[in-house]
Amino acid sequence: MSNSLKEITVTGLMSKIRDYYMVTMDNGTEYKLSAIMPWEAVSPDFDSGKFAAVLGKRVTVSGVTDGTTIWGADVV
């Protein structure tokens, strides 16, 4: 993971691949989603069940990213 995180907002299709919730943008860029921040002392999938309600739907996700994962993801 990169040392710096930057704020991001993306729109795409919500899916679940293996054990990861993902958002795929129209250009094919994919981000894993995490409900927590990377320094929190819980499993990275903690509270990720909240993403299940929007599986298969087009969503807007905001949070901070290291380039591969959106941390502290808020899904609308």
Side-chain angles (χ1 to χ4, degrees):
M1 174 171 41
S2 168
N3 288 336
S4 64
L5 298 173
K6 65 179 182 176
E7 291 187 27
I8 189 172
T9 299
V10 300
T11 299
L13 184 64
M14 176 71 76
S15 62
K16 187 172 184 181
I17 301 172
R18 294 189 182 101
D19 293 331
Y20 298 102
Y21 287 95
M22 310 280 291
V23 64
T24 304
M25 297 170 49
D26 292 341
N27 68 4
T29 303
E30 294 181 327
Y31 291 97
K32 292 179 187 175
L33 301 182
S34 179
I36 64 162
M37 297 303 281
W39 54 80
E40 293 185 73
V42 294
S43 171
D45 65 349
F46 179 80
D47 201 26
S48 64
K50 69 182 185 178
F51 303 135
V54 291
L55 276 175
K57 295 183 181 179
R58 190 164 178 79
V59 296
T60 298
V61 181
S62 59
V64 293
T65 188
D66 56 12
T68 60
T69 302
I70 299 178
W71 298 94
D74 183 34
V75 177
V76 179

